[in-house]
Amino acid sequence: MKIGIIGSGVVARALASGLVALGHDVKIGTRHPAKEDLQAFLKKAGAKASSGSFTEAARFGDIVMLATSWSGTENAVKLAGTDALAGKIVIDVTNPLKVNPHGPPGLAVSGNDSAGEQVQRWLPQSKVVKAFNHVGNALMFKPELKGGPPDMFIAGNDASAKRTVTDDILKPFGWNVSDLGGIEMSRYLEALAMIWIVYGFSNNYWTHAFKLLKK
Ligand SMILES: NC(=O)c1ccc[n+]([C@@H]2O[C@H](COP(=O)([O-])OP(=O)(O)OC[C@H]3O[C@@H](n4cnc5c(N)ncnc54)[C@H](OP(=O)(O)O)[C@@H]3O)[C@@H](O)[C@H]2O)c1
């Protein structure tokens, strides 16, 4: 499958490495496709990974992943173009973090709204699926943990898009998947990311993930 990634940071690169390992073709979208560290990453990743503009990545992908800093996300979506993303599955990995110089960040969007819902509003013709936002980039691909495979919670309005993301991306990445419902459930997935982050800050520990224990 061809996957476009909007964003070129640590998350984009962790996802790209996993996707290439699974045999997918990946295009990382950025405002600076020629930047040196990205080119070095792509060289290591091999022929299945390339870089391009946000629009090129959006057009390239059968599925597109959104991995941008929250403050730049609306602009990145505009630069990618709603047309380039129309009809496509867009996996929203963002968290709407608000920097706090004195400790863990907070959420810039919360309560009766969420980043996932905003992204879906900005891309009304796309099928937005919230996923990957409540784990650190180091564990996104094939998390090997003492307690077994962790749980990834997802949300989105299109049932078929969520099935595709589950079967073609999340399960091969090594996750148990729980579908929580419509895109408005992003409110809780983004709050869950805050639990992950606050735990990380409190314990200086960054390789944890969530698992539901069942009887
Ligand atoms: N770090 C983690 O482990 C983790 C885990 C789960 C979820 N997340 C979420 O995933 C997202 C990506 O995180 P990250 O740490 O990889 O990267 P990041 O540093 O938060 O974001 C980097 C990307 O944002 C783009 N960007 C920044 N400002 C922009 C603007 N004004 N207009 C357009 N694009 C802009 C950059 O584009 P250019 O390439 O053009 O510079 C870059 O590709 C964030 O929302 C984060 O909260 C992070």
Side-chain angles (χ1 to χ4, degrees):
M1 209 185 294
K2 288 178 167 177
I3 316 280
I5 303 180
I6 297 176
S8 64
V10 288
V11 170
R13 295 179 198 197
L15 293 169
S17 299
L19 291 163
V20 166
L22 293 173
H24 299 294
D25 293 296
V26 178
K27 190 177 284 294
I28 292 182
T30 165
R31 293 165 296 174
H32 316 285
K35 62 184 169 185
E36 220 171 281
D37 63 320
L38 180 59
Q39 288 308 315
F41 168 82
L42 292 171
K43 200 171 166 193
K44 273 195 195 158
K48 285 182 141 333
S50 60
S51 64
S53 66
F54 287 137
T55 312
E56 285 166 343
R59 291 206 183 283
F60 177 85
D62 304 314
I63 293 178
V64 177
M65 295 176 148
L66 186 57
T68 43
S69 63
W70 179 245
S71 58
T73 298
E74 186 171 12
N75 187 42
V77 164
K78 275 190 190 144
L79 291 172
T82 48
D83 287 357
L85 294 165
K88 293 189 180 182
I89 295 172
V90 175
I91 302 177
D92 173 28
V93 184
T94 68
N95 281 311
L97 298 184
K98 181 170 63 180
V99 176
N100 166 15
H102 307 294
L107 286 174
V109 183
S110 61
N112 294 327
D113 201 4
S114 60
E117 289 162 278
Q118 292 205 13
V119 170
Q120 181 64 82
R121 288 200 295 274
W122 296 331
L123 295 170
Q125 297 175 72
S126 305
K127 301 161 201 165
V128 177
V129 177
K130 189 93 197 177
F132 281 119
N133 76 304
H134 49 286
V135 68
N137 64 84
L139 286 186
M140 284 178 175
F141 182 62
K142 299 268 167 89
E144 289 191 1
L145 300 169
K146 286 180 202 141
D151 283 292
M152 175 76 67
F153 301 100
I154 66 170
N157 294 339
D158 189 289
S160 148
K162 286 188 283 189
R163 273 196 302 277
T164 300
V165 171
T166 298
D167 294 341
D168 296 347
I169 307 280
L170 293 170
K171 285 187 175 169
F173 264 60
W175 290 85
N176 286 331
V177 183
S178 286
D179 177 359
L180 294 191
I183 195 65
E184 68 280 4
M185 291 298 136
S186 299
R187 297 168 195 179
Y188 309 123
L189 297 193
E190 291 160 19
L192 195 56
M194 283 309 307
I195 294 177
W196 190 94
I197 290 167
V198 171
Y199 181 90
F201 269 87
S202 307
N203 297 280
N204 194 21
Y205 189 90
W206 301 99
T207 46
H208 50 297
F210 293 110
K211 186 165 184 65
L212 272 187
L213 300 178
K214 299 174 189 169
K215 201 164 181 184

